[in-house]
Amino acid sequence: MKIEQSKYTEKTGWVGIGQSKVAKPHLVAAFGSTALIKDPGVFNQLKSRYPQAHILSCSTAGEITKDEVSDNSLVVTAIELATSTIQVAQVEISAADDSFKAGLTLAKNLPSAGLVHVMVFSDGLKVNGTALVKGLVDNLPEQVSATGGLVGDGSDFKHTYVGLDKVPEEGKIVAVGFYGAALKVGYGSLGGWDAFGPERTITKSKNNVLLELDNQPALLLYKQYLGEKAKDLPASGLLFPLSLRTVTDKGESGPELVRTLLAVDEKDQSMTFAGDMPEGALAKLMKANFDRLVDGASGAASMSIEALGSHKPELAILISCIGRKLVLKERVEEEIEAVRSVVGPQAAICGFYSYGELCPVAATEKQCQLHNQTMTITTFREE
């Protein structure tokens, strides 16, 4: 595997990162601010530099490259595989109700023979991440894992963009399939938030729209916890996600997931989240713990290299939630540094801050889940 990285800003132009050069990359991942990522001139420069590669472009809530976090930039990672190959698929989505079908279509459009892993990059606002994941994993071969994320738009939550071999657009979802026995893939996802307050039952919801908690209007109850910060919703909701767990008829708890707020509706006092909020599930408010957020990033990195055995990763793709960035503020690069200390200096690091992360709960599992407020890492190595 050969990797070439560069960074573009309007002030500096193109700046190379490191000395590596690739002649014929299979995939070019471009993660950038909304303004840059949808600029046809910038895309044409990318296409001119890498005419034979598939170009994946995503808008972000912050760009990650090397050991740095930046805004208003475009970070580019060109990947040339030695013996492995990739296939790509794309669908369009106009409403969250189409999410399951979108995931199913992506899975069906990727050839199954030799498929090792799938990474999904989705519009961050029009999709129900839970349904997207279900449609995807229900139709992938059992031995195939999946990771990825819902792309961002800074803290504006207005428009998100994804593109495959063309200028990115709203309402697009792209899947990249990785093929070949020589390719080893690892993944890990952890949070680091502290739960507080009573655990409440979701008594009324519709898919990813939360209407009532303990038979009370959800938004009204939520605002009571936020106090003065309620006036800044939905952005301030990123600082107070909800921990969610389902309970079976036998009293057994499912995996604990975190859901982040995308929108509020004052008229019906509801809140829209990035994934399903099933009735009967138990929800609890969460708040930030700086040290635990950084520890969570380190833990996710450790999980992500388990599958690689004694070999070190050549590439690490980081997808971390915007809520973590807003909490960590000037300390945000500490979580990238924590990942670097685990994956090693030889690994190329790239990624972005997202509106949701896709990853199995454990490194030994294949069943993907939607997460929020986590650091999710996918590592790659060719043997």
Side-chain angles (χ1 to χ4, degrees):
M1 184 182 296
K2 296 179 180 178
I3 299 169
E4 175 183 329
Q5 292 187 291
S6 57
K7 181 177 179 179
Y8 176 87
T9 68
E10 291 183 343
K11 182 178 180 179
T12 64
W14 291 102
V15 177
I17 300 172
Q19 302 301 316
S20 299
K21 298 291 181 181
V22 298
K24 296 180 179 180
H26 294 81
L27 177 68
V28 174
F31 305 137
S33 67
T34 299
L36 290 178
I37 209 72
K38 66 176 187 176
D39 184 334
V42 174
F43 176 81
N44 289 337
Q45 290 181 56
L46 270 180
K47 193 63 181 175
S48 177
R49 291 175 65 189
Y50 306 108
Q52 297 177 317
H54 284 298
I55 298 177
L56 164 72
S57 305
C58 303
S59 63
T60 83
E63 300 82 57
I64 300 170
T65 185
K66 199 176 179 181
D67 302 332
E68 301 174 349
V69 176
S70 57
D71 294 296
N72 303 313
S73 68
L74 181 70
V75 298
V76 176
T77 303
I79 306 162
E80 182 179 344
L81 300 168
T83 59
S84 309
T85 59
I86 67 165
Q87 296 280 349
V88 295
Q90 179 178 250
V91 296
E92 187 168 354
I93 187 169
S94 58
D97 289 345
D98 300 328
S99 299
F100 179 87
K101 183 180 179 181
L104 181 154
T105 302
L106 288 172
K108 295 295 187 182
N109 288 345
L110 289 174
S112 59
L115 182 61
V116 174
H117 185 78
V118 177
M119 286 204 75
V120 178
F121 302 87
S122 172
D123 182 286
L125 296 175
K126 299 178 184 294
V127 71
N128 178 335
T130 304
L132 173 67
V133 167
K134 182 169 177 53
L136 181 75
V137 300
D138 283 0
N139 293 280
L140 285 175
E142 288 185 3
Q143 75 278 8
V144 175
S145 52
T147 56
L150 312 184
V151 308
D153 175 32
S155 57
D156 290 339
F157 287 86
K158 293 180 179 178
H159 308 280
T160 63
Y161 299 85
V162 178
L164 177 63
D165 299 331
K166 61 184 294 187
V167 177
E169 299 173 343
E170 293 183 76
K172 301 293 185 181
I173 308 174
V174 172
V176 181
F178 294 85
Y179 295 77
L183 189 66
K184 304 301 178 186
V185 183
Y187 40 81
S189 181
L190 284 176
W193 299 74
D194 287 336
F196 72 99
E199 195 168 50
R200 299 183 181 275
T201 302
I202 296 177
T203 48
K204 187 177 181 181
S205 65
K206 182 180 179 181
N207 298 325
N208 62 330
V209 179
L210 176 61
L211 295 163
E212 292 183 1
L213 288 167
D214 287 349
N215 297 306
Q216 299 181 58
L219 183 57
L220 177 64
L221 190 62
Y222 191 75
K223 283 182 174 181
Q224 292 175 8
Y225 280 103
L226 265 62
E228 281 294 314
K229 290 184 172 64
K231 69 179 185 300
D232 298 321
L233 283 169
S236 59
L238 294 168
L239 307 178
F240 298 93
L242 287 182
S243 169
L244 188 71
R245 68 182 181 94
T246 56
V247 180
T248 67
D249 293 338
K250 297 180 181 180
E252 299 173 344
S253 291
E256 183 178 288
L257 301 172
V258 178
R259 290 288 175 261
T260 197
L261 184 65
L262 294 181
V264 299
D265 188 321
E266 296 286 351
K267 183 178 179 180
D268 60 13
Q269 289 291 291
S270 68
M271 302 187 291
T272 299
F273 289 81
D276 278 353
M277 305 294 287
E279 290 183 1
L282 300 175
K284 184 179 285 191
L285 211 62
M286 305 187 82
K287 60 183 178 181
N289 180 314
F290 285 86
D291 292 334
R292 286 195 61 215
L293 289 177
V294 175
D295 289 344
S298 178
S302 296
M303 292 170 63
S304 77
I305 62 175
E306 286 181 19
L308 306 184
S310 60
H311 300 288
K312 295 182 177 180
E314 296 174 283
L315 172 66
I317 299 179
L318 281 54
I319 301 179
S320 185
C321 189
I322 180 179
R324 302 170 66 89
K325 182 169 178 272
L326 294 177
V327 168
L328 289 169
K329 295 181 180 177
E330 66 275 3
R331 294 179 59 183
V332 67
E333 290 182 350
E334 290 185 27
E335 71 169 356
I336 314 303
E337 293 164 0
V339 173
R340 170 66 75 189
S341 68
V342 175
V343 301
Q346 80 294 327
I349 288 179
C350 67
F352 59 91
Y353 282 84
S354 71
Y355 289 172
E357 307 82 57
L358 311 180
C359 188
V361 173
T364 55
E365 294 184 4
K366 301 293 185 183
Q367 189 75 15
C368 185
Q369 300 271 5
L370 170 72
H371 305 269
N372 293 123
Q373 308 291 12
T374 66
M375 165 65 84
T376 292
I377 304 168
T378 308
T379 53
F380 297 86
R381 181 177 181 85
E382 272 191 302
E383 295 183 348

